[in-house]
Amino acid sequence: MEVRSALFVSALAGLLITAASAMAEPDCAGRASATRLTVQVSQLSSAVGKVVVTLYPSNPRRFLAPRGKLLRLRVKAVTPMTRACFNLPGPDVYAVAVYHDANANEDFDRNRLGMPTEGFGFSNDAPTQFGLPSFESARFVAQPGDNTLRVRMRYQR
């Protein structure tokens, strides 16, 4: 009888841990997995609109390409830090692009010259001095378990 009780308690504890971890990150995009990524976006100009976080897979040709994304989340802008969570297919190389959709029109707005009028950022704070960053400059390795990536929002003035 003691063995049954111990098995029951062990099974119940496992269920509670699973439920607690599911509740801890209820807005994780993607199919549940053992590899998760939390993106922390800082330096937003305001808590207005949405922050759009796009995750790209390890194929450099898909980075910033139309229909190249693996997953995308649109989350409410929160200052001082906005968070987005992704369940990743597994440990691998990924890249992230972020923009502050302040007017919530689901588009990355630009002026007549093509310059961004909304904030943006990339994993590794990849440089954008002469155009879009390369996949190599934005790539990062996600390990098994929980991963955290910090992205600093930039605004063209």
Side-chain angles (χ1 to χ4, degrees):
M1 192 65 162
E2 288 179 29
V3 172
R4 278 190 186 162
S5 293
L7 288 174
F8 175 76
V9 169
S10 177
L12 182 60
L15 287 172
L16 290 174
I17 290 169
T18 301
S21 66
M23 289 191 309
E25 295 289 352
D27 296 327
C28 288
R31 194 172 280 164
S33 75
T35 306
R36 291 196 322 194
L37 172 67
T38 299
V39 179
Q40 298 176 340
V41 183
S42 65
Q43 298 186 2
L44 272 74
S45 63
S46 71
V48 175
K50 302 271 185 178
V51 173
V52 181
V53 184
T54 305
L55 177 72
Y56 293 93
S58 61
N59 181 343
R61 285 181 268 143
R62 290 180 58 182
F63 182 58
L64 302 176
R67 294 183 285 286
K69 73 181 179 299
L70 184 60
L71 295 166
R72 176 174 291 149
L73 269 176
R74 297 176 196 283
V75 296
K76 182 182 179 335
V78 176
T79 56
M81 185 172 304
T82 300
R83 290 179 177 80
C85 178
F86 295 94
N87 287 308
L88 302 177
D92 202 351
V93 173
Y94 299 92
V96 166
V98 175
Y99 75 92
H100 183 189
D101 188 10
N103 59 7
N105 67 349
E106 297 190 3
D107 195 19
F108 181 53
D109 296 332
R110 299 169 192 190
N111 65 20
R112 290 184 205 166
L113 300 174
M115 300 301 291
T117 59
E118 296 181 306
F120 61 91
F122 298 94
S123 40
N124 294 334
D125 199 26
T128 59
Q129 295 165 337
F130 303 108
L132 296 172
S134 68
F135 176 78
E136 283 301 311
S137 65
R139 70 189 292 275
F140 66 93
V141 177
Q143 303 293 333
D146 290 327
N147 296 267
T148 300
L149 180 69
R150 289 172 183 83
V151 176
R152 180 180 57 92
M153 193 67 70
R154 293 182 250 171
Y155 295 85
Q156 299 287 328
R157 302 283 183 218

